[in-house]
Amino acid sequence: MTTSIPEKNLPFLEKVKQQSGLGDIYDARDITEVVYRVMRDLMTTEAADRVEGELHKPAEQSDDKSLQMEIADLWHDSNPLVRFLSRVRPPWQGPGIFKIDSDRFLFRVANEGGMQPNVDREKVVKAVFAATKDELSPERIEEIASWLPDHVRQLWQEA
């Protein structure tokens, strides 16, 4: 008889993979980075920095250098241009073409993450949210919720 590993002891990306139904750990890494990118687009730089400050923990225990990173590395984006732009642009809130509502949030995650059509994007987002919430203080969890659009906020609270 095998005993299951308590979820809190699973590395971050393994949690995302298991809860989302994604095929492998690399998909979990890539999708997590995209979910974080869209989340940052909703926040001020100061709020994003507070979140990053709490995410300095290993994302995965691995000999593979491409997986040896902190969760904070996923948060601040591996693409240098995206990382720069996310620090200098205002939050994409309010009226206008750049407003990120729940539909646009989920659309961006699916498209920018290269998700297969049979993957449930809400399940994947909830998996990233759940693994992330396990790493954050109650204050950061509430702060992030305040930035999210209606349906995505509900997914955050359910995760």
Side-chain angles (χ1 to χ4, degrees):
M1 180 173 158
T2 59
T3 348
S4 64
I5 301 169
E7 200 166 287
K8 67 181 178 59
N9 295 337
L10 289 174
F12 180 86
L13 291 174
E14 193 62 37
K15 285 184 205 175
V16 173
K17 178 184 168 231
Q18 285 189 347
Q19 292 181 16
S20 67
L22 290 169
D24 68 32
I25 203 81
Y26 301 97
D27 290 342
R29 176 197 61 195
D30 296 345
I31 274 298
T32 298
E33 190 170 311
V34 172
V35 170
Y36 283 175
R37 179 181 303 151
V38 183
M39 289 172 71
R40 277 193 331 273
D41 283 349
L42 290 164
M43 303 172 148
T44 62
T45 300
E46 296 77 21
D49 286 349
R50 286 190 291 274
V51 173
E52 183 179 341
E54 292 189 13
L55 295 177
H56 286 286
K57 296 177 183 132
E60 195 62 31
Q61 304 298 332
S62 174
D63 292 334
D64 183 339
K65 292 232 183 266
S66 70
L67 292 174
Q68 291 175 357
M69 60 180 65
E70 291 185 342
I71 303 165
D73 295 329
L74 294 167
W75 178 259
H76 73 251
D77 214 289
S78 62
N79 181 318
L81 181 59
V82 171
R83 189 168 49 242
F84 171 75
L85 290 174
S86 73
R87 297 203 56 81
V88 297
R89 54 97 200 111
W92 288 359
Q93 303 270 347
I97 61 169
F98 293 117
K99 178 181 168 111
I100 299 176
D101 59 12
S102 292
D103 287 337
R104 184 167 299 219
F105 187 103
L106 295 170
F107 176 83
R108 282 189 58 193
V109 168
N111 288 326
E112 292 175 32
M115 247 188 247
Q116 300 299 319
N118 62 333
V119 174
D120 180 341
R121 63 188 187 175
E122 289 188 14
K123 183 177 179 182
V124 170
V125 167
K126 278 178 80 169
V128 173
F129 284 177
T132 302
K133 286 171 72 174
D134 287 347
E135 306 298 330
L136 297 172
S137 68
E139 295 80 20
R140 286 300 78 71
I141 290 170
E142 283 305 309
E143 181 175 23
I144 289 172
S146 73
W147 289 103
L148 299 173
D150 52 7
H151 181 63
V152 174
R153 182 180 307 122
Q154 181 182 342
L155 295 176
W156 175 257
Q157 290 166 339
E158 292 170 1

